[in-house]
Amino acid sequence: MSTTPIAVPTLWGVTYRAVVVHTLTYLLVGALAFALFDYPALFAEPGLRELFRQTDDPMVMAGPLFQPLRGALFGLVFYLLRESFFTHERGWVTMWIMLVVVGILSTFGPALGSIEGLIYTRVPARFQLGWGMLEVLSQSLLLSVGVWYWVRHAEQRRLTVALSVLFVIGLLLPTLGLLLS
């Protein structure tokens, strides 16, 4: 695997980028999945309605407001593994594989879509490996590519400003929705 010299990423730089990219990809992929996969109907089905809040629940609307915390946790791990991720031309692939293996398929608890979830929950495999799996795989892929690219091109001020503005807007919209509901 070839390596490319880049500016040494800082903990703050990697974490900030992970917070922003995770939140934006969460919003984008989540909105697309909500529209394409009819989550209101899916989450109302027997077997899922007992597990998931319905899509009109205020906590679901507040979900994006918790994503910066998750992004910061990702950023910390990405920083610790920065040599494997950001110095290689295909470091985003390594990052994505790590997210899929550790964060999706091999969780320590029985999360839906994980090996443990398939073994220990009664949720049918069609729910666990269906549209939701496509959603988390695509979001984790976009997160990997986005953070990898932005860290490697940290000097691009327009990219930083554009993503930062979108991040603020992405958090303001659910905040306003909650305040007005």
Side-chain angles (χ1 to χ4, degrees), residues 30 70 84 133 135 177:
R70 292 183 64 217
S84 296
M133 182 61 78
E135 178 184 358

Side-chain angles (χ1 to χ4, degrees), residues 28 65 82 103 109 116 137 176:
L28 174 68
L65 303 177
R82 65 192 174 277
E116 295 290 294
L137 289 173
L176 290 172

Side-chain angles (χ1 to χ4, degrees), residues 14-158:
V14 172
T15 302
Y16 177 74
R17 286 167 177 83
V19 164
V20 170
V21 174
H22 168 69
T23 303
L24 290 175
T25 58
Y26 175 91
L27 288 165
L28 174 68
V29 173
L32 286 171
F34 186 88
L36 294 174
F37 306 146
D38 194 15
Y39 277 179
L42 183 66
F43 287 2
E45 287 192 31
L48 289 185
R49 69 174 164 235
E50 295 83 12
L51 293 174
F52 290 100
R53 296 178 192 273
Q54 296 306 294
T55 56
D56 58 356
D57 188 295
M59 283 299 289
V60 173
M61 187 184 296
L65 303 177
F66 296 99
Q67 298 318 305
L69 175 60
R70 292 183 64 217
L73 295 172
F74 287 132
L76 174 62
V77 173
F78 295 164
Y79 178 76
L80 294 172
L81 300 171
R82 65 192 174 277
E83 291 296 321
S84 296
F85 296 156
F86 303 117
T87 61
H88 296 276
E89 291 295 324
R90 291 189 178 85
W92 64 270
V93 175
T94 305
M95 186 185 299
W96 186 50
I97 290 170
M98 184 272 303
L99 287 172
V100 170
V101 170
V102 176
I104 299 171
L105 299 176
S106 295
T107 60
F108 285 97
L112 298 184
S114 71
I115 294 168
E116 295 290 294
L118 289 167
I119 294 169
Y120 295 109
T121 71
R122 294 179 181 189
V123 177
R126 70 182 179 94
F127 287 128
Q128 295 194 51
L129 302 176
W131 299 122
M133 182 61 78
L134 181 59
E135 178 184 358
V136 296
L137 289 173
S138 60
Q139 197 258 331
S140 60
L141 175 63
L142 291 174
L143 172 63
S144 300
V145 171
V147 172
W148 175 85
Y149 181 86
W150 195 8
V151 167
R152 290 174 57 92
H153 298 90
E155 76 285 353
Q156 293 186 3
R157 301 280 300 148
R158 287 183 179 171

